[in-house]
Amino acid sequence: MCLGIPGQITEITDPSRLMAMADVSGVKREVSLAPVADRPIEALVGEWVLIHVGFAMAVIDEHEAAETLEALRGLGEAQEALEAMEEGARAFDEPAKVEAAQ
């Protein structure tokens, strides 16, 4: 499964290599614009893109970017909840194992 993370292009860093800086939830990251360079790359500054392994794979609108970021936050929260439940189950299970061993 591939996962694209939304990021907003903030500046062109190397036009000859089609490289740009993207802001991904407050983290700056250099990405390749090669897959989305269907127009002058300067026109991509301010655009939202889906980023996967350092490549801007698709241009998306701001609404789609916001929805995707919200869904990813929800997945993170769900993962944290599952890990907490698993840790709680292990903690609950440990005393039973100790008693059974005695």
Side-chain angles (χ1 to χ4, degrees), residues 33-89:
L33 297 177
V36 295
D38 60 348
R39 59 186 116 172
I41 61 170
E42 292 78 18
L44 292 168
V45 173
E47 294 283 353
W48 285 88
V49 294
L50 282 179
I51 300 168
H52 177 66
V53 294
F55 290 88
M57 302 304 292
V59 177
I60 59 174
D61 64 40
E62 187 173 358
H63 179 72
E64 183 178 355
E67 285 184 339
T68 302
L69 287 169
E70 186 60 34
L72 290 172
R73 279 188 205 97
L75 287 173
E77 290 170 8
Q79 182 63 37
E80 288 174 9
L82 288 172
E83 289 171 0
M85 289 171 58
E86 186 175 287
E87 189 172 314

